[in-house]
Amino acid sequence: MTTDRIELFGIQIDSLRMTGAVDRLMTWMGSDTDTGCRFVVTPNVDHTVLLQTSAPLREAYDDADMVLADGWPVVFASRLFGKPLPERVTGSDLIPALFRAADKSAPLKTFLLGAAPGVAQRAAVNVHKQYPNVQIVGTYSPPLGFENDAEENQQILERIADAQPQLLVIGLGAPKQELWIHKVRHEVAAKVAVCAGATIDFLAGEKSRAPRWMQRTGLEWAYRIGTDPQRLAKRYAKDAIVFPRILWNEWMKPGLRSPDFSK
């Protein structure tokens, strides 16, 4: 890798703004060099908690070609510990930013993998309306438990190979999406894969993002838990207990520089 990375919570995170991430990914997707599928992960607080006890997820993160800080607490912690990340770069913002950067003379060929049945198709319709420089070349919603079904996985890989996308948007939820792409990356016929969580749902209008002011002030978690309490309340409660311990352990490491909140 040619970009600067910082080490935080045992994760190597790329110190990139959205513009830098988009430029790098567009270069990768436009390259004629056969480098295989490069993949992107976006750690937030929940990922950070999971990484403390999941060796397979740590291996996936170590293998990732780009690691972008999704959560404001992760960015804040980087500044607290004297190795500041420039800004938060979420998967849900990264995909539309890539779509906006697409060249009309060569539409960005994209495959949407994930979400509930029918959702990716609705997302494709919206993308075609909003981003004329993007071509959705395939969509698929894998069945529950697909990751343990060799035949189903082979069919997914064949669907992607038939479509020949430059960009694979993976919306399978964490840590399933990260573990899956880590396992099959050398068989995926795409230039770049982004583990993007609920992004396909957002593109389809199935779910809504928090208002911009909540995103900017680090309160998006409150909006999300308010709109999906049954699924997220337990997860966020666990994160609220475990993440402060992770912060304390990081604080106790030797050699920390003074906090930097200027960036």
Side-chain angles (χ1 to χ4, degrees), residues 17-263:
R17 295 186 180 275
M18 177 66 79
T19 53
V22 168
D23 288 346
R24 186 174 298 276
L25 292 172
M26 294 303 292
T27 298
W28 287 351
M29 289 187 290
S31 173
D32 292 329
T33 305
D34 185 10
T35 56
C37 183
R38 291 172 160 129
F39 75 93
V40 182
V41 296
T42 57
N44 56 22
V45 169
D46 190 55
H47 292 203
T48 302
V49 170
L50 290 171
L51 281 160
Q52 306 310 304
T53 57
S54 173
L57 186 57
R58 287 198 301 274
E59 291 174 5
Y61 261 70
D62 289 343
D63 191 35
D65 297 274
M66 185 180 287
V67 182
L68 301 169
D70 181 294
W72 270 120
V74 176
V75 175
F76 178 83
S78 76
R79 297 172 183 180
L80 177 67
F81 298 132
K83 34 193 174 183
L85 292 165
E87 67 180 7
R88 177 189 185 214
V89 183
T90 74
S92 298
D93 290 324
L94 178 61
I95 299 304
L98 290 171
F99 288 171
R100 289 192 294 271
D103 186 344
K104 63 181 179 182
S105 65
L108 180 61
K109 295 192 291 184
T110 303
F111 193 107
L112 304 179
L113 177 66
V119 173
Q121 288 93 326
R122 292 195 291 276
V125 172
N126 291 342
V127 169
H128 285 144
K129 290 178 181 177
Q130 191 171 355
Y131 305 101
N133 301 341
V134 178
Q135 180 184 4
I136 303 299
V137 294
T139 66
Y140 187 58
S141 174
L144 188 65
F146 80 94
E147 66 275 18
N148 300 315
D149 185 332
E151 184 177 347
E152 176 65 26
N153 274 278
Q154 186 58 39
Q155 290 179 6
I156 293 172
L157 293 171
E158 289 173 1
R159 286 173 182 265
I160 297 170
D162 289 343
Q164 289 292 302
Q166 295 161 283
L167 174 63
L168 173 63
V169 180
I170 310 175
L172 302 171
K176 183 184 295 186
Q177 58 195 10
E178 291 81 8
L179 298 177
W180 182 80
I181 189 61
H182 169 56
K183 180 180 178 181
V184 303
R185 66 172 300 176
H186 298 296
E187 304 170 71
V188 172
K191 294 284 188 179
V192 167
V194 178
C195 297
T199 299
I200 298 173
D201 292 296
F202 295 141
L203 292 172
E206 193 77 6
K207 296 179 181 178
S208 60
R209 292 288 303 276
R212 278 291 176 186
W213 70 266
M214 297 187 80
Q215 296 179 41
R216 289 194 299 267
T217 55
L219 292 173
E220 189 169 9
W221 65 270
Y223 181 87
R224 291 195 66 196
I225 200 171
T227 56
D228 195 358
Q230 186 172 358
R231 186 173 68 89
L232 296 176
K234 185 177 180 180
R235 177 201 299 178
Y236 282 10
K238 177 184 176 182
D239 292 348
I241 294 171
V242 177
F243 190 64
R245 298 177 192 167
I246 298 172
L247 284 174
W248 175 254
N249 291 337
E250 191 75 18
W251 180 264
M252 296 303 292
K253 289 181 179 178
L256 286 175
R257 300 202 307 269
S258 300
D260 184 347
F261 300 103
S262 62
K263 299 185 180 181

